[in-house]
Amino acid sequence: MVRDANTGKPLASAKVAILDERNNVIETRTADANGKVTYSVDCDRAYTIQASMPKYEQNTFPITKTHGGEVNVMADLRPIEE
């Protein structure tokens, strides 16, 4: 879920990429109206989520290896001060 770091509000239309352990982009999706993006990935592999939105600082969020199940990532982006 992509959110504004200051307000906690969801950022609809944010770009969310998932990267493999070598930082190669696997796929990029656009967040829905609730700031959510869902990926189904292989277990026992580490990934990185990269979130970006115009007028916000881009940020990355590592995801450690799991043995299955659901992992929720709160991707909080800070607004760029003008």
Side-chain angles (χ1 to χ4, degrees):
M1 180 174 194
V2 185
R3 304 182 306 183
D4 182 302
N6 294 343
T7 66
K9 291 183 180 176
L11 295 176
S13 302
K15 298 290 183 207
V16 181
I18 187 163
L19 292 74
D20 64 16
E21 59 274 353
R22 293 190 187 120
N23 284 330
N24 295 315
V25 175
I26 298 169
E27 186 178 354
T28 301
R29 295 188 181 176
T30 302
D32 65 13
N34 298 316
K36 292 185 181 179
V37 174
T38 302
Y39 284 107
S40 295
V41 295
D42 297 330
C43 300
D44 291 325
R45 292 180 65 188
Y47 295 93
T48 301
I49 296 293
Q50 184 178 61
S52 62
M53 177 89 179
K55 298 187 179 181
Y56 284 83
E57 294 177 4
Q58 179 175 297
N59 206 347
T60 56
F61 306 89
I63 301 173
T64 56
K65 294 180 183 182
T66 64
H67 297 293
E70 194 171 286
V71 177
N72 293 313
V73 177
M74 294 303 164
D76 292 341
L77 299 181
R78 279 192 295 241
I80 295 172
E81 301 296 328
E82 303 223 1

